[in-house]
Amino acid sequence: MRNQCRFLRFQCTAGRIKRLLCRFSFLLLGLATLSSLNAAEGNDNTKIISGILDDQPHAMAEEVLRVAYGRMGYKVKFELFPGIRSLELANKGETDGDIARISGTQKEFPNLRPLATPVIHIQGVAFTKSVTRKIKIWGDLEGLRIGVIRGIRYSTIGTEGLNRYFAEDTTHLFRLLADDRIQIAVAVLDAGRIELHKNFKDSGIHVVGSPLYEAPLFHFVHKKNEYLIGDLNRILQDMAAHREIDRILNAAMIRLMNK
């Protein structure tokens, strides 16, 4: 009888331990699930935007997007690539969008959706050391050795059929010009000003003629992020109306000149 009682007490104790272990296992499972959900939520809270490597207009536009996304509660991580590669990754959905491109980019990259409000405006101009002819339109560059940056769509389109060389970035472009390997370098005016201030102060490089191209650049998101467009547009419109975008861009340009 005594042994039987001990056996029953052992069974009861073992049963309680088993129930406690089960409850503990469920608790651990719940904590793990909650942790996974929190991690997923944190990842959803960060948007990865691709942009052009060593490109001053994109570096300036980054600051505008950082503020706009921040007001929606998102963090933004910018990943930079050569020009076309940046668009290809955004179009595939491997990033959440591209920093800023000319209108019509979606025709070549159909998975991208443009915002309606520009994040930056650009002027494409001709820089030279020696050319004195009047340059007002793309055709005025005929017969000259022209440099453009690979992956920059406005200058690639504008110089099609002309005698052009491709540079990897603005610094490379201006080095080709400084070394007389090209006669004209087509670049965004602000980008050229930054480059001259930092690296080519005594080169004799200057703007010739009037702008060949003027246009706003728009932020593009991958189609999976279409739900962001309405709020982003409203925020950017408000920032533009209060001239906040201009102030951010001016501050970014000063920072890049002194970097």
Side-chain angles (χ1 to χ4, degrees), residues 64 119 121 239-240 242-252:
V64 176
V119 293
H121 287 74
M239 290 172 67
H242 291 89
R243 301 191 66 81
E244 187 177 1
I245 290 179
D246 291 338
R247 290 193 295 272
I248 292 171
L249 293 175
N250 289 336

Side-chain angles (χ1 to χ4, degrees), residues 143-154:
L144 299 173
R145 298 189 308 277
I146 308 154
V148 298
I149 300 171
R150 191 182 307 278
I152 303 298
R153 297 187 73 247
Y154 83 88

Side-chain angles (χ1 to χ4, degrees), residues 119-135:
V119 293
I120 191 171
H121 287 74
I122 62 167
Q123 288 184 322
V125 299
F127 289 87
T128 190
K129 284 174 58 182
S130 57
V131 173
T132 58
R133 71 169 70 171
K134 292 182 179 180
I135 294 176

